[in-house]
Amino acid sequence: MKLPFLFALLMVFAHAKGQKADSIAPLGQEWTLEQCINYAWGHNISVKQAELNRETQKNNYTSSKGSLLPTLNGVASHTYDYGRTIDQFTNTFANTEILSDNFYLSANFTIFGGLQNLNTIKENQTSYEASGYDLQENKNTLALNIASGYLQILLDQELLLEAKNQHEVTQQQVEKTQKLVDAGSLAKGNLYDVQAQEANDEVNEVNAENQLNIAMLGLAQLLDIDSVQLFKIARPEITIPDNPMINNPDLIYSQALTNQPDIKSAELKWESAEKAQSVAAGALYPKLILAATIGTGYSTGDDAVTATINGYVPAGYAGLNSTPDALSIPVWVPNESYSYQLIPLKTQLNENFNKTIGFQLNIPILNGLHSNMAYKNAKLNSLNAFYTYQNTELNLRKNVQQAYVDALGALKKYYATQKSVTSFTEAYNYIRVKFDAGVSTALDYNTAKTNLAKAQSDMLQAKYTYVFKLQVLAYYEGKPLKL
């Protein structure tokens, strides 16, 4: 019979309490349960993925804290303009190639944004804390599987030992029966019956050995160990204390609420969902932003102009008529020539330096109902997270109550099977003596022997079941577990 999955809780909490782990045992030496768990925690891919998720949540948390800082960006551009263009610095037309450089810094700071940044920080903080408990829960789940396989091996080892003992006893009985048949004290049919039982015991031993090999293989594969043949586990001595005391399930439940990672994770995820709701609500409020820029630039079209007067030329006549006559006076204007020289880079950068500062108020009026629907969905997610938290608490209470009832039932069954083993042992010894004396049939002998084997198997299973349930309760109480 396979042990229950949760039996694996046996040693998880001891490690969670910070007990010093044994070093990893090399192949060929015996591995303790704690060594198996520590090895898996360091090599299992699902654990590594949970650790990466925790790092991601940490980065999100750090990033959200940075959202409270102003944004500052530097921009540099280098452009070429061809054909008829307007120089952005001289604001004049140019028909030649213009090379322009722009350099500026821009900064933005959200003065008020519906408290979205603050609530996002709190949301990411709780998500980060929850990921730590998720990692712990992931490790516990892995440890559950490992401990389940480990303890299944312990049970299968005892069942194999019992099967071997039964086989040896039957082999001895075959030899005795053979002598009694040869002496004429028993009919030959009794020998056939005992030999059939011996064959059946051999099958049982082979099956028990196969079950043990399967359990060993399963644990080795769970640990991703290559060499299964060299993998061995240590076998601690497991005893049941006299007059064990089991605490009240309500007390155990109240203690479990403070130390179980799934409870803490569900509570933090509920809190994170509430903050996400506040973030979504912030999108419905106006947003006030302070913006500022400083910049300068350079252009090859920005030229300095120098004028030279080369005499004067007539430009017309001043008087009553615009034609030359006695009443008109000729008008002379300077004959100018111009020379162009590119303004130096340093001069342009200084002269083109500019600063801007302003405020921007964004008022949400109509955005396709996106913000409204996002807020409603966030509110539903928060309610769902609350229900998940409540359900986690309810499941914990059920698990504690079930473990408590199972522990009491397993203890009673263990005591009952102890009495059963004692009774069937006496019955078997009585029948064996009669069979050896030739006054009992092989069928009676085989029946008594089978009943004893079943009683011993039931007692072993009841023993491990009780130990498991007791350790589950201790795990919920937050106590270190020991085999």
Side-chain angles (χ1 to χ4, degrees):
M1 182 184 84
K2 294 294 182 182
L3 290 175
F5 174 77
L6 287 179
F7 191 81
L9 286 167
L10 187 57
M11 292 297 291
V12 175
F13 189 78
H15 188 278
K17 280 291 184 180
Q19 294 181 351
K20 184 177 180 181
D22 296 335
S23 59
I24 301 303
L27 292 178
Q29 297 184 12
E30 294 182 344
W31 291 52
T32 65
L33 176 58
E34 195 168 18
Q35 287 173 332
C36 292
I37 292 174
N38 285 329
Y39 180 86
W41 282 357
H43 295 79
N44 185 263
I45 293 179
S46 64
V47 172
K48 292 181 179 180
Q49 289 177 324
E51 291 174 344
L52 291 177
N53 178 66
R54 177 164 170 77
E55 287 298 316
T56 300
Q57 295 297 334
K58 181 181 179 180
N59 292 338
N60 292 339
Y61 174 42
T62 304
S63 176
S64 61
K65 288 191 293 185
S67 65
L68 296 178
L69 302 174
T71 61
L72 179 63
N73 295 284
V75 179
S77 65
H78 183 79
T79 60
Y80 294 91
D81 292 321
Y82 301 93
R84 187 172 176 83
T85 61
I86 296 179
D87 190 286
Q88 60 179 319
F89 296 106
T90 65
N91 202 31
T92 60
F93 285 103
N95 290 311
T96 59
E97 176 184 321
I98 300 295
L99 184 150
S100 302
D101 291 310
N102 291 280
F103 311 95
Y104 66 90
L105 293 174
S106 65
N108 289 276
F109 178 70
T110 301
I111 299 175
F112 178 78
L115 302 179
Q116 284 186 300
N117 289 339
L118 290 175
N119 287 319
T120 299
I121 292 175
K122 294 177 181 178
E123 176 191 358
N124 290 334
Q125 180 183 6
T126 51
S127 296
Y128 170 57
E129 292 173 357
S131 67
Y133 290 110
D134 288 339
L135 173 60
Q136 184 178 347
E137 181 68 16
N138 188 291
K139 288 184 174 182
N140 286 353
T141 300
L142 177 61
L144 297 180
N145 292 321
I146 293 174
S148 177
Y150 192 97
L151 296 173
Q152 183 64 51
I153 291 174
L154 296 182
L155 175 60
D156 288 342
Q157 286 177 341
E158 290 206 38
L159 293 177
L160 176 59
L161 181 60
E162 290 295 331
K164 287 182 176 181
N165 291 337
Q166 293 293 329
H167 190 197
E168 291 177 359
V169 170
T170 307
Q171 286 178 327
Q172 295 173 1
Q173 195 61 40
V174 168
E175 296 177 358
K176 293 181 180 179
T177 304
Q178 181 68 58
K179 294 179 181 179
L180 292 174
V181 171
D182 293 342
S185 301
L186 288 176
K188 199 167 186 177
N190 289 315
L191 177 61
Y192 295 151
D193 290 337
V194 177
Q195 287 176 336
Q197 181 62 39
E198 191 271 336
N200 184 67
D201 287 348
E202 184 177 1
V203 171
N204 291 337
E205 181 180 346
V206 171
N207 289 337
E209 186 175 4
N210 289 338
Q211 289 297 323
L212 176 59
N213 291 336
I214 291 173
M216 291 290 293
L217 177 62
L219 181 58
Q221 290 179 341
L222 191 60
L223 297 176
D224 291 328
I225 296 177
D226 296 332
S227 180
V228 179
Q229 291 76 14
L230 298 178
F231 178 60
K232 300 177 182 179
I233 67 169
R235 182 171 184 83
E237 182 179 355
I238 299 178
T239 59
I240 296 179
D242 297 332
N243 301 320
M245 298 295 295
I246 303 178
N247 288 334
N248 183 280
D250 292 333
L251 175 61
I252 297 175
Y253 171 69
S254 64
Q255 294 172 331
L257 286 175
T258 64
N259 60 55
Q260 293 303 296
D262 55 340
I263 295 293
K264 294 181 178 295
S265 175
E267 183 178 7
L268 287 171
K269 289 177 180 177
W270 171 32
E271 183 179 344
S272 178
E274 287 185 321
K275 295 305 177 183
Q277 179 182 341
S278 299
V279 172
L284 303 176
Y285 289 87
K287 180 179 292 186
L288 180 61
I289 300 175
L290 171 65
T293 62
I294 57 173
T296 187
Y298 167 81
S299 172
T300 58
D302 195 356
D303 299 328
V305 180
T306 302
T308 303
I309 299 176
N310 301 311
Y312 296 88
V313 295
Y317 296 89
L320 297 177
N321 298 314
S322 59
T323 58
D325 54 27
L327 299 178
S328 299
I329 301 174
V331 177
W332 297 80
V333 295
N335 181 18
E336 296 179 334
S337 62
Y338 301 92
S339 61
Y340 298 88
Q341 183 179 7
L342 181 65
I343 297 177
L345 171 65
K346 181 178 180 181
T347 302
Q348 287 196 43
L349 292 180
N350 290 331
E351 293 179 349
N352 294 329
F353 190 79
N354 63 86
K355 307 173 185 177
T356 63
I357 186 170
F359 295 90
Q360 178 179 336
L361 180 64
N362 298 328
I363 303 175
I365 298 176
L366 181 64
N367 56 11
L369 299 179
H370 295 302
S371 297
N372 298 74
M373 293 302 101
Y375 171 70
K376 291 183 178 181
N377 287 336
K379 189 174 182 179
L380 293 175
N381 290 336
S382 177
L383 184 59
N384 185 58
F386 171 68
Y387 289 148
T388 300
Y389 170 64
Q390 281 190 322
N391 190 55
T392 305
E393 284 189 335
L394 289 175
N395 289 335
L396 178 62
R397 181 184 290 275
K398 293 177 182 178
N399 291 336
V400 170
Q401 292 174 340
Q402 188 65 49
Y404 177 79
V405 172
D406 290 344
L408 292 180
L411 181 60
K412 293 179 181 179
K413 185 176 181 180
Y414 176 72
Y415 288 149
T417 53
Q418 277 187 318
K419 296 179 180 178
S420 178
V421 168
T422 300
S423 299
F424 280 114
T425 299
E426 293 177 354
Y428 167 74
N429 291 332
Y430 176 73
I431 293 297
R432 180 175 57 81
V433 172
K434 292 180 62 178
F435 181 75
D436 291 342
V439 293
S440 179
T441 65
L443 178 61
D444 293 335
Y445 171 79
N446 290 337
T447 299
K449 184 174 177 297
T450 301
N451 291 337
L452 175 59
K454 183 179 183 304
Q456 291 172 333
S457 177
D458 290 343
M459 185 182 68
L460 287 176
Q461 294 176 5
K463 170 187 174 181
Y464 276 90
T465 301
Y466 170 71
V467 172
F468 153 64
K469 297 300 179 182
L470 201 62
Q471 298 304 321
V472 169
L473 293 175
Y475 167 77
Y476 287 131
E477 290 177 290
K479 298 178 180 179
L481 308 182
K482 297 180 180 179
L483 284 177

